[in-house]
Amino acid sequence: MKALLDRARSFGRRVDFESVEYRKLAEGQYPEALFITCSDSRVIPALITGARPGEIFELRNAGNIVPSYGQHAAGGEAATIEYALEVLGVQDVVVCGHSHCGAMGALRSGDDLTALPGVDAWLGLARPSLAPVLTDTPALSDVVQSNVVNQLAALRSYPVVRQRLDTDRLRLHGWYYEIDTGRVQELDDDGRFRVHAA
């Protein structure tokens, strides 16, 4: 913790806040994308995408879960989605799952989460839509990728998302990030995750 605190204390000396880039940040934010991903500390959206400050708006939680519209009336996920689209005018939304995901691993293994009631309730939002995949003994990557597809479907339940999709003002993207290789697979129109050349 000391190293983190020391770096936070010296941040103002390490960055040129008088630069045009940082002055523009103080005037407002204009992110290109809403990036929905897991809270896992190994998944760093700006590092993966090479984004600079102000380029992506992030929504992070265990398992990159998007509750269906109306499922949680005062949820942070719904508020973040609405703000990104209605206020910031974001035109791309990425749902990014990842390898080695503990949340999806717990669902895959059927772990007893009674000692973690908050985690159990949260993951319960993803259990029903993953049930068809969990009937066999799937690879963790299959569970994670199915979850990405399911969360994109949950996103489509939001009126603000549907409205923008219907008028071609929004694009949804599904990604699968491999922690051990750094490779990103993208969900194609045929429902398969593939690596695309840069």
Side-chain angles (χ1 to χ4, degrees), residues 15 17 27 29 51 57 70 83 94 97 102 104 108 115 129 132 166 168 170 175 184 195:
V15 174
F17 284 95
E27 295 169 7
Q29 61 174 322
F57 197 63
Y83 190 82
V94 176
M104 294 300 111
R108 176 182 176 257
S129 59
D166 290 347
D168 293 324
L170 183 66
W175 289 7
V184 174
V195 175

Side-chain angles (χ1 to χ4, degrees), residues 8-59:
R9 288 175 176 157
S10 68
F11 182 62
R13 293 189 306 273
R14 291 182 283 124
V15 174
D16 179 10
F17 284 95
E18 295 301 318
S19 69
V20 172
E21 177 185 9
Y22 276 93
R23 282 198 313 246
K24 285 176 88 174
L25 291 176
E27 295 169 7
Q29 61 174 322
Y30 307 96
E32 295 177 29
L34 168 60
F35 201 95
I36 301 171
T37 195
C38 189
S39 301
D40 192 301
S41 63
R42 301 165 294 179
V43 179
I44 305 167
L47 188 62
I48 295 166
T49 62
R52 309 269 308 147
E55 290 184 339
I56 55 176
F57 197 63
E58 295 180 24
L59 170 56

Side-chain angles (χ1 to χ4, degrees), residues 91-126:
Q91 296 182 350
D92 289 277
V93 179
V94 176
V95 176
C96 181
H98 67 94
S99 67
H100 307 85
C101 182
M104 294 300 111
L107 290 175
R108 176 182 176 257
S109 303
D111 291 354
D112 179 5
L113 298 173
T114 53
L116 302 168
V119 173
D120 190 41
W122 180 251
L123 295 183
L125 298 174

Side-chain angles (χ1 to χ4, degrees), residues 166-177:
D166 290 347
T167 56
D168 293 324
R169 293 182 294 147
L170 183 66
R171 292 170 297 275
L172 301 181
H173 311 272
W175 289 7
Y176 175 72
Y177 169 66

Side-chain angles (χ1 to χ4, degrees), residues 45-155:
L47 188 62
I48 295 166
T49 62
R52 309 269 308 147
E55 290 184 339
I56 55 176
F57 197 63
E58 295 180 24
L59 170 56
R60 299 183 68 164
N61 62 48
N64 45 272
I65 294 171
V66 178
S68 294
Y69 181 73
Q71 201 165 11
H72 288 281
E77 288 74 22
T80 301
I81 292 163
E82 286 180 2
Y83 190 82
L85 300 183
E86 292 280 13
V87 177
L88 300 177
V90 164
Q91 296 182 350
D92 289 277
V93 179
V94 176
V95 176
C96 181
H98 67 94
S99 67
H100 307 85
C101 182
M104 294 300 111
L107 290 175
R108 176 182 176 257
S109 303
D111 291 354
D112 179 5
L113 298 173
T114 53
L116 302 168
V119 173
D120 190 41
W122 180 251
L123 295 183
L125 298 174
R127 272 190 196 99
S129 59
L130 286 173
V133 177
L134 298 174
T135 56
D136 299 325
T137 309
L140 180 57
S141 60
D142 292 336
V143 176
V144 173
Q145 291 174 5
S146 293
N147 185 55
V148 168
V149 171
N150 294 340
Q151 301 319 311
L152 288 167
L155 262 174

Side-chain angles (χ1 to χ4, degrees), residues 161-169:
V161 171
R162 279 197 317 269
Q163 179 188 51
R164 281 168 170 68
L165 287 171
D166 290 347
T167 56
D168 293 324
R169 293 182 294 147

